[in-house]
C-alpha cells in the first residue's frame, strides 16, 4: 500500500490529544462509577469503537493508495518557428517605444502561451540567422528574445525568402521522434512588411506544399514612423527624413497563400491574443505515448467505515453511565 502523504507532525499532534483527553475521560468515568457503585467496564466498549474510527480518520488523512493499474500518457505538441525582422526599419517609433521593443514584449507572451510546445527563433534582414533552435527551454527563449537588436543583422534591406527557407529547413530536420503531421508545424513571420527580396513566392509555395501554416504579424502604422540615427532622425542621401510605413498587403499575401492568417500591431490594434488563440486551436502532433503505473487513492473506503462507526457511537447508548 502507498500513501499520499507521510506520517508527520499533524498526525502525531492529533493522536497525542486523543490519547490524553480520552485517558482523562476514562479516569473520570471510572471514579464516578466507583462512587456510585455502578459498573464502568462498559466504557471500554465505547473506547474501542472511538479508537477504531479515530484510527480510520488518521488513515483517511494519510491517503491510502492500492490496486495498481496501467495508464497511457501521451505527449502532444507543436513546432513553432518565429522569424523576426531586425532590419533598421524595426527601430521606428510609430509603435511605442519602438516596433522592435513592442515585438519583444509580445513574443514573451507567445512563448508563455505555448510552454509545452517547441519554439525556435530566426532573425533576419537581407540574410537569416538561427537565433535559437527549436526548444522547450523557456528561459533560453526569453533570453534570446531580450537580446534581439537591429545591430545583430546586416543593415541592407529586408528579404522574406531566407528566413522562410531556413524555418522550413529546420522544421523538417529538427524532429523530436517520429513526425507525421505537417499541420502541427507553424511559422510566424513578424515584420513591417517591407520586402525587397525576389524568391519569397518560391519558398511560400514550398511551405504550402508541405501543408505548414504561415502566420504573419505586421508591426507598424500606415502613417509611418521615423528612425533615430544617433541623436537625430535618419535621413536619405537627399537629406530628407526617412519614413518607414507598414506594408500589410505583402504580409497578407504570404499568409493567404499558405491558408494562414494575417495579424497586426499598430497604434490602436493588437492582434497577438488572436494569434495565440488561432495557433492554440491547431491540433498538436503525438510525440510520445507510454504506459505508467498508477495507484488510486482509496481513502473513501476508510472514511465510510469511520463515519458508520461514528454514527453508531452517537446512536448506541451505554445504559450503565449513559456515555
Amino acid at each position: 500500500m502507498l500513501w499520499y502523504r507521510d506520517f508527520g507532525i499533524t498526525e502525531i499532534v492529533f493522536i497525542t490529544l486523543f490519547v490524553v483527553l480520552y485517558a482523562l475521560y476514562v479516569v473520570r468515568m471510572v471514579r464516578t462509577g466507583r462512587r456510585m457503585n455502578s459498573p464502568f467496564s462498559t466504557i471500554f466498549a465505547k473506547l474501542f469503537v472511538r479508537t477504531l474510527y479515530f484510527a480510520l480518520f488518521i488513515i483517511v488523512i494519510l491517503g491510502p493508495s492500492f490496486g495498481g493499474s496501467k495508464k497511457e500518457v501521451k505527449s502532444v505538441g507543436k513546432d513553432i518557428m518565429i522569424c523576426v525582422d531586425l532590419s533598421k526599419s524595426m527601430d521606428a517609433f510609430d509603435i511605442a517605444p519602438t516596433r522592435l521593443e513592442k515585438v519583444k514584449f509580445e513574443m514573451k507572451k507567445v512563448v508563455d502561451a505555448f510552454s509545452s510546445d517547441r519554439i525556435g527563433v530566426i532573425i533576419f534582414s537581407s540574410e537569416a540567422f538561427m537565433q535559437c533552435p527549436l526548444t522547450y527551454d523557456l528561459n533560453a527563449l526569453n533570453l534570446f528574445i531580450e537580446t534581439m537588436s537591429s545591430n545583430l543583422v546586416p543593415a541592407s534591406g529586408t528579404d522574406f525568402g531566407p528566413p522562410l527557407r531556413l524555418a522550413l529547413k529546420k522544421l523538417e530536420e529538427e524532429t523530436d521522434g517520429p513526425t507525421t503531421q505537417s499541420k502541427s508545424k507553424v511559422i510566424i513571420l513578424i515584420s513591417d512588411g517591407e520586402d525587397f527580396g525576389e524568391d519569397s513566392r518560391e519558398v511560400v509555395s514550398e511551405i504550402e506544399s508541405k501543408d505548414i501554416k504561415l502566420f504573419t504579424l505586421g508591426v507598424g502604422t500606415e502613417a509611418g514612423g521615423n528612425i533615430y540615427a544617433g541623436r537625430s532622425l535618419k535621413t536619405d542621401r537627399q537629406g530628407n527624413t526617412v519614413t518607414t510605413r507598414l506594408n500589410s498587403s505583402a504580409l497578407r499575401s504570404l499568409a493567404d497563400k499558405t491558408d494562414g492568417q494575417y495579424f497586426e500591431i499598430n497604434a490602436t490594434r493588437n492582434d497577438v491574443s488572436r494569434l495565440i488563440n488561432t495557433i492554440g486551436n491547431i491540433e498538436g502532433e503525438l510525440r510520445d505515448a507510454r504506459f505508467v503505473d498508477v495507484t488510486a487513492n482509496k481513502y473513501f473506503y476508510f472514511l465510510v467505515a469511520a463515519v458508520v462507526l461514528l454514527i453508531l457511537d452517537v446512536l448506541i447508548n451505554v445504559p450503565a453511565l449513559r456515555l
Side-chain angles (χ1 to χ4, degrees), residues 101-175:
E101 290 301 318
K102 180 64 173 177
V103 165
K104 289 162 65 174
F105 178 78
E106 298 297 338
M107 278 183 67
K108 292 178 182 179
K109 293 183 181 179
V110 175
V111 169
D112 289 340
F114 300 105
S115 57
S116 61
D117 300 310
R118 294 199 305 173
I119 301 177
V121 178
I122 293 173
I123 56 176
F124 71 95
S125 57
S126 58
E127 301 177 47
F129 305 90
M130 179 60 68
Q131 176 79 340
C132 179
L134 289 169
T135 181
Y136 295 106
D137 192 337
L138 301 186
N139 292 327
L141 283 165
N142 286 320
L143 178 62
F144 282 119
I145 291 171
E146 193 60 40
T147 58
M148 287 194 305
S149 165
S150 58
N151 296 323
L152 295 177
V153 294
S156 54
T158 305
D159 186 352
F160 293 156
L164 293 178
R165 194 172 297 282
L166 181 59
L168 179 60
K169 177 183 177 183
K170 294 302 179 181
L171 286 174
E172 292 181 326
E173 289 180 351
E174 299 186 29
T175 58

Side-chain angles (χ1 to χ4, degrees), residues 2 67-73 290-296:
L2 301 176
S69 62
K70 294 286 187 178
K71 181 179 180 181
E72 185 178 16
V73 178
R290 62 185 185 276
F291 287 91
V292 297
D293 294 323
V294 295
T295 55

Side-chain angles (χ1 to χ4, degrees), residues 263-280:
F263 303 90
E264 187 170 308
I265 298 176
N266 58 38
T268 59
R269 171 182 169 189
N270 188 337
D271 289 339
V272 172
S273 295
R274 288 183 52 235
L275 170 64
I276 291 173
N277 291 335
T278 302
I279 296 176

